[in-house]
Structures are given as structure tokens and as C-alpha cells.
Amino acid sequence: RVVDRMHHASRVLVHQADDGAELHAVLGNVDAVVSTRLHPLILAATADTPVVGITAKPKVRSFMCALGLPELVLSPWAASLPPLARAIDRVLTEPEPVREQLRRGIAAQRAAAARNPAVAASSLRRG
């Protein structure tokens, strides 16, 4: 029903993926992902696809901020047509700067994740 009301419905992909690898491949071949959920944003970002988040959840906002893209996460109360259209227009008309920031942000997140075992071990040693 939502897609039927969209002006550019022909550009919308609705796909039921069978597994994570298939979803990652699909997300890597779309122009952008707009989601209210964290995991589609993570999968799209790691597939080098520009993302726009709509959420009141701190974890989604934190993820987008950690990527260096705080302006591309909108509160559902502020996600009226003009701000949402600006965010979507940005990722569709200027995808390369967004992709570059995604790459930097994802690299930083991977580096932080690689440090997690050492941090956990250190915490356990300290009691």
C-alpha cells in the first residue's frame, strides 16, 4: 500500500530474501535504502549502499552517527516529506560522497569490533 502511493513506485524494490547473503547482495544493487530498522541499515552500509534511517531508537541514531552521517537519520516526528525528501535526494543525487563516508565509518566500526576481544579480556582481568 505504501509503494502504491509513492511518486516513483517503479524504482522501489520489495524483496523477500531467503538468507542474509542474498539480502546483502540485493541491498548492494539498489540505489539507496531507507529503513526504520538497524539491521537493514548495517547490511546496506556494508554493501556500500547509501542509507537513510528513520527512528526514535538510540541504537539506529548511534549507528548513523558512528558512520559520520548524523544528518541522514531522522526522527519519525521530523520525517515529514521535506526533510525526508532532502535526505533521499542527497543519497540519490550525490551517492559517492555518502559512499565514501560509509566506507570510512564502516572501517572504523570494523576496527573497533576487532578490539572487542582484547577489551573484554582486559575487563575480565580487572574483575
Side-chain angles (χ1 to χ4, degrees):
R1 286 183 280 175
V2 171
V3 172
D4 289 341
R5 297 180 66 190
M6 297 177 75
H7 293 290
H8 300 285
S10 64
R11 293 186 70 188
V12 174
L13 172 68
V14 177
H15 180 81
Q16 181 67 40
D18 292 328
D19 59 37
E22 181 182 349
L23 179 58
H24 196 256
V26 168
L27 293 175
N29 286 292
V30 298
D31 295 329
V33 170
V34 178
S35 182
T36 61
R37 308 289 297 175
L38 179 61
H39 290 103
L41 295 172
I42 292 171
L43 287 170
T46 60
D48 206 31
T49 298
V51 293
V52 174
I54 301 172
T55 188
K57 302 275 186 192
K59 64 184 178 181
V60 173
R61 184 166 301 285
S62 294
F63 174 69
M64 295 295 289
C65 289
L67 293 179
L69 296 168
E71 70 281 7
L72 293 179
V73 61
L74 304 168
S75 152
W77 303 281
S80 62
L81 188 55
L84 182 57
R86 280 192 297 275
I88 293 171
D89 283 347
R90 176 176 172 207
V91 300
L92 292 177
T93 60
E94 301 175 20
E96 283 313 309
V98 175
R99 283 190 178 104
E100 283 298 318
Q101 184 58 46
L102 281 175
R103 289 179 197 124
R104 286 190 297 272
I106 291 296
Q109 292 300 300
R110 285 187 172 134
R115 291 189 300 271
N116 283 346
V119 170
S122 174
S123 294
L124 289 172
R125 281 192 296 275
R126 285 191 300 238

